[in-house]
Amino acid sequence: MPFALPRMRFGPFPRFGARPAVHRGDRLMRMGRGRLGIAIGCFIAVYALIGGRLVQYGLTDLDHAGTYGVNDRILAARPDLIDRRGNLLATDIRVPALYGEPRRIIDPDEAVEALASVLPDVDYQDWHRKLSSGAGFVWLRREITPRQQAEVMALGIPGIGFREETRRFYPGGPTAAHIVGLVNIDNAGTAGIEKYVDDQGLGTLQELGLDQSDALEPVRLSIDTGVQHIVRDELVQAMQRYQAIAAGGVILNAKTGEVVAMVSLPDYDPNNPFNALDKDRLNRMSAGTFEMGSTFKAFTTAMALDSGLVTLESRFDARQPIRYGRFTINDFHAKKRILSVPETFIYSSNIATAKMAEVVGIDGHRAFLKRLGLLDRMDTQLPEVAKPLEPAEWKQLNSITISFGHGVSTTPLQTAVAAAALVNGGRLIPPSFLPRTEAEANALATQVIKAETSAMMRYLFRLNAEQGSGRRATVDGFFVGGKTGTAEKVINGRYSDDHRFNAFLAAFPMDDPEYVVLIIIDEPKPEEGQHSATAGLNAAPTVSRIIGRAVPLLGVEPRYDVTRDALLVSY
């Protein structure tokens, strides 16, 4: 918080010899000077502390000074990361590291030969160069085992020593890799929540050597390790079952914005992240942008209903394809008749959805998506967040294709966040990977659609799960609703029939949604016995399996007293 300097007024000096009168302004001036003195004292104390450290570095042996800062950071503790139930996600362990003091090495050849007798993969040339350098200190190998340490110690080589380092350990391995993130070999956070923690000030403190305490408070995350494991396990099976190149999923609390689970596959093991930077290990859920296909029809429908220009009873002519220049817009499962809004939704009609968007207009269409945060970079704790892509200029054809999910690329996570607003009463809540109460979420929420519109969307989502393409997503007793999205991918500049990006956007229970679930499957192939690979055939049943396994951990009780008609009456 910036310091506020006291206001001081300057006027004519009092006459010489006159007794100064004590006025209220003088007292305020003295008070202001006192506060200014305290502020100056604080600055001096902080700079004295930093100066003391600099003097300490200055007095350090020159050969060691080059590695002093790094060593401080290596030894510095990091706070544990725990899930919402207190289960450990990341912690510090101490491991020995091997170093050499070349000035004390008597015979580098003999030293390297001896070390190679107990350590595997010794780089003779590199180690010989280091031990012959005449330097005061060189690292030879970071993170050796206690047994290796004992064997090297038994060699008794002068100038060879050990130092304990802090190493990060992730008990769950790859289970939550893209959320917890990574630290590098110098113990600095480089991705995920680990980087977020450093960016909150820990990194600066460690670089200054001011924080080597083992008593740091753990950082509690919003995710549930059990649910996280279920989502990852089902996605691994889905990738195998549908021979997909990638998959991802997120479970979001619709009332608080907390991310309960989020997985992107392929992933990596943060304990051995040799492949973490591979292109296909990208966190697709927040750092990848995709055309989300027909799941976007939910936003188009909500926009039209919220405008007041369209009602559930409105009808749109889907008998003929839309022709625009050299482009023809058709339906995947064409009904070739006039469709009501509910029919448009459950039959996923491109033609009727595009005509709904026309009612609102191009400017209104873009403004609505922007209001839902689908066109702007999402703000959350994870550093790995991509900016959505949209046309530089929205024209009529852009609005038509965007209405059914082509032409705008956005991240799956922010698609789920926007979808939560469609079903939770119309409140857009920023996502959080840290725990948040409902009251805290309400303070951050923005009303983006009417509550009545949200009620109509809950009805449509449930209707689609009962009669439309989402039938395979249902779970008895939990009133799952949702929308499928089967999008053709752009390959070599053209939409390809053979490469699909499938998604299923779900929420449950639909009378009062507590959770939003979004699953994506990239380039799935038809399952054995199927002739197609639509989202209704692969993403929807994956959602069903995840919800069926996760509800006991999420604390959602089964109920059998809600019908679709009750949802319709509720608005």
Side-chain angles (χ1 to χ4, degrees):
M1 179 182 294
F3 289 97
L5 292 175
R7 291 185 176 179
M8 291 182 287
R9 296 182 178 178
F10 298 90
F13 291 101
R15 288 183 301 170
F16 180 76
R19 185 179 181 179
V22 178
H23 298 294
R24 185 170 178 272
D26 297 332
R27 289 198 300 273
L28 291 175
M29 183 178 292
R30 284 198 294 272
M31 188 181 300
R33 286 173 175 167
R35 290 176 179 172
L36 183 61
I38 293 172
I40 293 172
C42 291
F43 278 118
I44 291 173
V46 170
Y47 281 105
L49 186 60
I50 296 174
R53 293 295 296 179
L54 293 175
V55 170
Q56 183 183 356
Y57 289 144
L59 295 177
T60 303
D61 183 83
L62 187 61
D63 294 326
H64 289 74
T67 58
Y68 200 97
V70 172
N71 291 341
D72 270 1
R73 187 151 194 163
I74 291 167
L75 293 171
R78 299 184 63 84
D80 287 349
L81 303 183
I82 58 177
D83 79 347
R84 63 187 305 116
R85 298 175 187 272
N87 297 315
L88 197 59
L89 295 168
T91 191
D92 285 345
I93 59 174
R94 294 286 187 178
V95 295
L98 181 67
Y99 70 85
E101 296 176 283
R103 290 179 183 172
R104 297 181 55 209
I105 296 293
I106 300 171
D107 186 338
D109 290 326
E110 186 177 325
V112 174
E113 286 290 342
L115 291 170
S117 66
V118 297
L119 293 175
D121 304 326
V122 167
D123 186 332
Y124 282 82
Q125 187 174 0
D126 182 53
W127 285 31
H128 187 275
R129 179 184 57 77
K130 287 181 176 178
L131 295 180
S132 306
S133 65
F137 178 95
V138 292
W139 283 117
L140 293 177
R141 178 161 294 176
R142 315 283 280 272
E143 300 178 7
I144 62 175
T145 67
R147 180 175 179 178
Q148 290 172 334
Q149 182 184 24
E151 291 176 345
V152 172
M153 194 177 297
L155 296 173
I157 307 173
I160 297 296
F162 307 93
R163 184 164 186 175
E164 275 203 335
E165 289 187 325
T166 298
R167 182 190 170 196
R168 209 57 169 160
F169 176 61
Y170 303 88
T175 303
H178 286 108
I179 296 176
V180 297
L182 285 172
V183 297
N184 62 18
I185 196 167
D186 292 326
N187 208 26
T190 58
I193 294 297
E194 295 281 26
K195 187 172 190 311
Y196 166 77
V197 170
D198 276 23
D199 292 344
Q200 302 311 298
L202 178 69
T204 303
L205 291 176
Q206 290 185 343
E207 285 173 357
L208 291 172
L210 299 176
D211 188 357
Q212 296 188 17
S213 170
D214 292 329
L216 294 171
E217 286 292 321
V219 176
R220 186 180 294 273
L221 306 188
S222 59
I223 66 171
D224 183 308
T225 306
V227 180
Q228 181 79 15
H229 170 75
I230 290 170
V231 174
R232 185 176 185 277
D233 182 54
E234 288 296 339
L235 290 176
V236 169
Q237 293 185 48
M239 278 188 66
Q240 296 171 350
R241 183 180 297 116
Y242 307 119
Q243 303 174 58
I245 63 170
V250 59
I251 297 182
L252 189 73
N253 187 312
K255 297 181 178 178
T256 65
E258 295 169 288
V259 177
V260 180
M262 190 178 81
V263 174
S264 176
L265 298 178
D267 52 14
Y268 58 87
D269 186 349
N271 293 307
N272 184 24
F274 68 95
N275 55 357
L277 297 180
D278 289 355
K279 186 178 178 181
D280 67 338
R281 311 279 164 173
L282 168 79
N283 179 2
R284 288 169 166 76
M285 299 305 292
S286 65
T289 58
F290 306 93
E291 293 185 347
M292 296 300 295
S294 294
T295 55
F296 249 51
K297 289 172 182 166
F299 303 121
T300 308
T301 305
M303 172 185 70
L305 292 172
D306 202 61
S307 71
L309 302 173
V310 173
T311 69
L312 287 181
E313 290 72 35
S314 299
R315 293 176 175 276
F316 296 89
D317 189 348
R319 289 175 294 183
Q320 300 294 329
I322 297 175
R323 302 193 188 282
Y324 194 96
R326 60 188 177 90
F327 298 99
T328 300
I329 311 299
N330 215 330
D331 284 342
F332 188 70
H333 297 292
K335 296 297 176 185
K336 298 184 183 297
R337 62 181 174 84
I338 295 174
L339 300 175
S340 67
V341 169
E343 289 174 328
T344 300
F345 197 78
I346 65 173
Y347 298 140
S348 201
S349 169
N350 295 336
I351 300 169
T353 303
K355 291 185 176 179
M356 273 197 279
E358 283 182 336
V359 172
V360 178
I362 299 172
D363 294 340
H365 191 180
R366 185 178 184 278
F368 183 80
L369 295 185
K370 197 164 182 66
R371 197 159 79 223
L372 265 63
L374 289 165
L375 302 181
D376 295 312
R377 188 178 186 276
M378 188 174 51
D379 185 18
T380 188
Q381 292 87 12
L382 281 195
E384 298 82 19
V385 175
K387 187 179 186 304
L389 303 173
E390 63 170 316
E393 180 184 359
W394 282 48
K395 299 180 180 177
Q396 185 63 34
L397 180 60
N398 299 119
S399 181
I400 290 173
T401 59
I402 291 168
S403 73
F404 52 81
H406 289 289
V408 162
S409 299
T410 190
T411 70
L413 177 57
Q414 66 191 126
T415 303
V417 171
L422 297 190
V423 298
N424 71 2
R427 294 170 297 114
L428 184 68
I429 305 172
S432 175
F433 290 84
L434 304 179
R436 179 193 284 161
T437 66
E438 199 167 332
E440 291 169 338
N442 288 337
L444 298 171
T446 305
Q447 193 76 30
V448 289
I449 62 171
K450 303 183 188 83
E452 296 79 9
T453 306
S454 179
M456 286 187 272
M457 291 308 300
R458 292 197 292 270
Y459 164 75
L460 293 175
F461 272 122
R462 179 59 185 166
L463 182 68
N464 192 43
E466 289 183 340
Q467 301 180 14
S469 56
R471 292 189 296 275
R472 290 178 174 81
T474 56
V475 181
D476 284 346
F478 293 97
F479 305 103
V480 178
K483 183 73 188 76
T484 50
T486 304
E488 295 175 351
K489 292 180 67 174
V490 176
I491 305 294
N492 298 324
R494 299 174 63 90
Y495 285 105
S496 168
D497 292 336
D498 301 326
H499 298 80
R500 291 177 174 171
F501 181 84
N502 289 0
F504 192 83
L505 177 61
F508 71 97
M510 286 314 306
D511 61 322
D512 184 18
E514 293 187 39
Y515 295 99
V516 167
V517 184
L518 175 63
I519 296 300
I520 60 170
I521 302 179
D522 198 355
E523 296 191 18
K525 309 297 183 298
E527 190 179 11
E528 187 174 348
Q530 300 284 352
H531 299 291
S532 183
T534 63
L537 293 173
N538 46 50
T542 303
V543 166
S544 176
R545 285 189 285 269
I546 288 174
I547 293 176
R549 290 177 61 184
V551 283
L553 296 176
L554 295 172
V556 182
E557 299 286 340
R559 293 165 49 209
Y560 298 92
D561 59 343
V562 179
T563 64
R564 173 168 43 84
D565 291 339
L567 292 176
L568 182 59
V569 170
S570 69
Y571 82 88

